[in-house]
Amino acid sequence: MDNEIFDIAIIGAGPAGLFAQFYAGLRELKTALIEATPRIGGQITALYPEKTILDVAGFLGISGRDLVNELKLQTDLVDSKTFLNSEVTNLKKIASHFEIEINHHASFLAKSVIIASGNGSFSPRKIDVPGSSEAEQSGMLTYLLPGLSEVADKDFAVVGGGNTAVDYAVELIDHDCHVSLIHRRDNFRAMESSVTKLKNSRRTNFLTPMKITGLSPKKEKLEIELQSVPDGAVKRVSVDRLIGGFGFTASSRTINQWEEFPEQFNQGFLTNEAQMTSIAGIFAIGDASSYPGKSDLIATAFGEAPTAINQTVNYFDPDRGGPQHSTSLNKKEVFKHDRIKSRYNS
Ligand SMILES: Cc1cc2nc3c(=O)[nH]c(=O)nc-3n(C[C@H](O)[C@H](O)[C@H](O)COP(=O)(O)OP(=O)(O)OC[C@H]3O[C@@H](n4cnc5c(N)ncnc54)[C@H](O)[C@@H]3O)c2cc1C
């Protein structure tokens, strides 16, 4: 990332940041989309991927997961860089540019910044039992899926009863792993078809209704102590890795420490009609932006994104003009994929 100067740094890959990335591509801007977690989609991915969203224009109803997939396909059409696992830990003004610090070490420069960080970065809800810190330090307890290319035939345990845990377990059996799914109840609050898939798989072992009472990292394996919820009977299983799947919580702790920190209003950054914050060159959209009458909705975020992108251009290149309607654009030049270009070949 060092030495690169972007036109725009977009902080956060929720729906607001993703649509801003696409729209910036239409305007042929050099854009970096920076996301703290390993996955795009923000609150939708972290909290409600299977819920049907009714109030996104043009869709009779669309699942969270499908909406994020569509946004991803759209952003794939344009030239732009996406940095995952990259939390913006500081934002500084250096001459006419902004320095964006990632994970406390790497940094790069941008002419303008769009904050699309929602309610802050997500961190996993952690398992708190004797031995959990040691297990985490040993790398045998994690809260995210490992790289799935080299895990086949490994023994995993996943704990949790919602979408996060069930989705993790499905991904693992799809990659030929054995999964023990641990949950304090017999029923799961997750997509029924995913639960059925796990129930029909010989690779899944349901450890329910059971709770984890202790963890002991041994040489190569992690020993999990389980207690049966109805009768307190204790059981031990050994796995290669345990993955906590209790979901995520959002926190603005890191953002609150930025050196350039715009004025706040309610829970977000106060923005004007150009989506600009109190600091010139820093814009905010989606749930990160706040003003009287603001509705924290996906549709609102989608409207604020083009406003912010067009106004960043006015900020760092006021002579450039625009925007054009997308119907007037040369799609062969704007879209990077040959498949899409060929659609507009005539
Ligand atoms: C259960 C639930 C149901 C909902 N249902 C609906 C609905 O039906 N219709 C509707 O319109 N809205 C709904 N919403 C609201 C909607 O999800 C939000 O308005 C929308 O997600 C806001 O998008 P965003 O991109 O602004 O922020 P987010 O979705 O919060 O995304 C922000 C992203 O920024 C990242 N980030 C934060 N800080 C940093 C940092 N320092 N560095 C790098 N990355 C960072 C986060 O990890 C996250 O990925 C619902 C919300 C919830 C919780």
Side-chain angles (χ1 to χ4, degrees), residues 17-93:
L18 289 166
F19 190 57
Q21 182 185 31
F22 170 68
Y23 195 84
L26 291 187
R27 296 225 51 197
E28 299 184 8
L29 300 168
K30 190 173 177 196
T31 309
L33 177 69
I34 308 150
E35 169 56 44
T37 70
R39 296 202 282 176
I40 61 165
Q43 290 171 49
I44 303 178
T45 300
L47 304 174
Y48 59 104
E50 305 303 344
K51 287 207 166 127
T52 301
I53 309 169
L54 295 176
D55 49 358
V56 178
F59 292 100
L60 290 181
I62 182 163
S63 76
R65 192 188 304 276
D66 286 348
L67 180 60
V68 173
N69 286 341
E70 294 292 327
L71 285 163
K72 169 83 170 69
L73 289 174
Q74 203 175 24
T75 60
D76 282 349
L77 295 178
V78 295
D79 263 325
S80 177
K81 287 195 176 165
T82 302
F83 301 97
L84 298 176
N85 295 308
S86 302
E87 185 173 31
V88 175
T89 41
N90 199 6
L91 184 58
K92 275 198 264 187
K93 189 96 198 258

